[in-house]
Amino acid sequence: MGTITVDDGTEIFYKDWGSGQPIVFSHGWPLSADDWDAQMMFFVQQGYRVVAHDRRGHGRSSQTDDGHDMDHYADDLAALTAHLDLRDAVHIGHSTGGGEVVRYLARHGEARVAKAALISAVPPLMVQTDANPGGLPKKVFDDLQAQLAANRSVFYREVAAGPFYGFNRDGVEPSEAMIQNWWRQGMMGGAKAHFDGIVAFSQTDFTEDLKKITVPVLVMHGDDDQVVPYADSAPLSAELLPNATLKTYEGFPHGMPTTEAETINTDLLAFIRS
């Protein structure tokens, strides 16, 4: 574990375990590298080097008041990969982290990258526009910001106990440990970063970025995702990517890397080894 200081003085916390081909994980909003525990433990035991960082303003990284946009997220990731001199890497992004991976590949190139995987990811574009009629109305994201500003602790508890893991679905038994761990990670970060991050993950258009990516990309998404709706995300990203494989999971929620870790890890391993 360590930190790097990027050009604007922001400190980025990261974990770096094991040896072998590197797998780099980019987490979702408003979490931290800890959200990848199930994946990092699995892959380090499979003989891979696993790296995960806390996005700026999240987890143990600096709670800076600016730079909470996809360009900065991508630049921070590029600084980390250069600092660690990672090559032939597999980049895996969940939710907002999927957007981070896409922007990193499009903005910084693929020289260090072998493959990528997007899990429950926000691209191509979440918000509804004339060009994206299937997106969610901007009011949805404005309401998220209002709830965060009013009482972040209550808001994060409701997200984790409800739509994120699908615990609000009939017949699904909530895991109190998962809910508390999600809340813990969220509250470690900065409210300003998370507030601004809602705009970053919802209003960034990744259409042109996706078209530039030539490495193999596995697009993984549950069809019961209540946070990033399936129809306006994964299938559209797969169409835009020149070298994509779409894998759809019936009934899986947004937080499927945690709730369905065994399935997700097995499929990621098969993709990386293929």
Side-chain angles (χ1 to χ4, degrees):
M1 296 186 292
T3 61
I4 63 165
T5 302
V6 298
D7 288 346
D8 67 357
T10 300
E11 287 192 351
I12 303 296
F13 171 91
Y14 68 90
K15 306 177 189 183
D16 181 7
W17 305 340
S19 59
Q21 184 181 15
I23 304 176
V24 185
F25 296 93
S26 293
H27 65 78
W29 175 98
L31 303 173
S32 73
D34 293 353
D35 200 45
W36 291 111
D37 282 354
Q39 283 68 47
M40 292 185 72
M41 289 299 296
F42 174 81
F43 282 103
V44 77
Q45 293 177 72
Q46 296 292 328
Y48 291 91
R49 179 182 181 182
V50 293
V51 177
H53 67 292
D54 291 353
R55 186 171 299 118
R56 62 169 54 216
H58 295 63
R60 291 139 295 202
S61 292
S62 298
Q63 291 194 14
T64 177
D65 68 342
D66 60 5
H68 307 298
D69 56 74
M70 285 294 165
D71 285 351
H72 278 87
Y73 297 165
D75 292 351
D76 293 344
L77 179 56
L80 177 62
T81 60
H83 173 76
L84 298 177
D85 194 25
L86 302 180
R87 300 182 185 278
D88 195 34
V90 178
H91 281 264
I92 300 176
H94 175 247
S95 195
T96 299
E100 177 179 288
V101 168
V102 167
R103 180 55 56 90
Y104 162 72
L105 289 170
R107 186 171 169 89
H108 293 278
E110 302 171 344
R112 295 180 177 271
V113 181
K115 295 181 179 180
L118 308 178
I119 308 175
S120 311
V122 298
L125 174 63
M126 284 198 72
V127 74
Q128 186 180 66
T129 65
D130 290 343
N132 186 43
L136 296 171
K138 184 176 179 294
K139 184 180 184 304
V140 170
F141 305 106
D142 293 342
D143 288 346
L144 296 181
Q145 287 186 308
Q147 292 177 71
L148 187 155
N151 193 320
R152 186 168 61 128
S153 180
V154 170
F155 173 48
Y156 286 178
R157 170 76 190 191
E158 290 175 348
V159 172
F164 196 91
Y165 294 121
F167 291 152
N168 55 345
R169 294 303 198 204
D170 291 341
V172 177
E173 184 69 27
S175 167
E176 185 62 29
M178 287 184 189
I179 294 167
Q180 290 189 16
N181 190 42
W182 199 101
W183 180 90
R184 174 191 68 84
Q185 291 179 70
M187 295 304 293
M188 285 171 64
K192 176 65 161 57
H194 297 168
F195 186 90
D196 293 350
I198 292 171
V199 174
F201 75 65
S202 66
Q203 296 186 31
T204 303
D205 189 342
F206 298 96
T207 300
E208 296 306 315
D209 300 274
L210 290 162
K211 293 176 182 178
K212 296 176 183 177
I213 298 170
T214 63
V215 296
V217 180
L218 178 62
V219 181
M220 313 168 78
H221 217 106
D223 68 3
D224 194 34
D225 191 323
Q226 301 173 67
V227 178
V228 181
Y230 173 83
D232 199 56
S233 53
L236 303 184
S237 289
E239 289 179 7
L240 291 164
L241 287 160
N243 191 5
T245 300
L246 174 63
K247 195 166 184 62
T248 304
Y249 298 85
E250 184 178 356
F252 281 20
H254 186 67
M256 64 186 189
T258 299
T259 61
E260 306 291 344
E262 184 176 356
T263 298
I264 298 304
N265 291 349
T266 298
D267 289 349
L268 283 170
L269 181 63
F271 169 69
I272 292 168
R273 287 178 170 174
S274 64

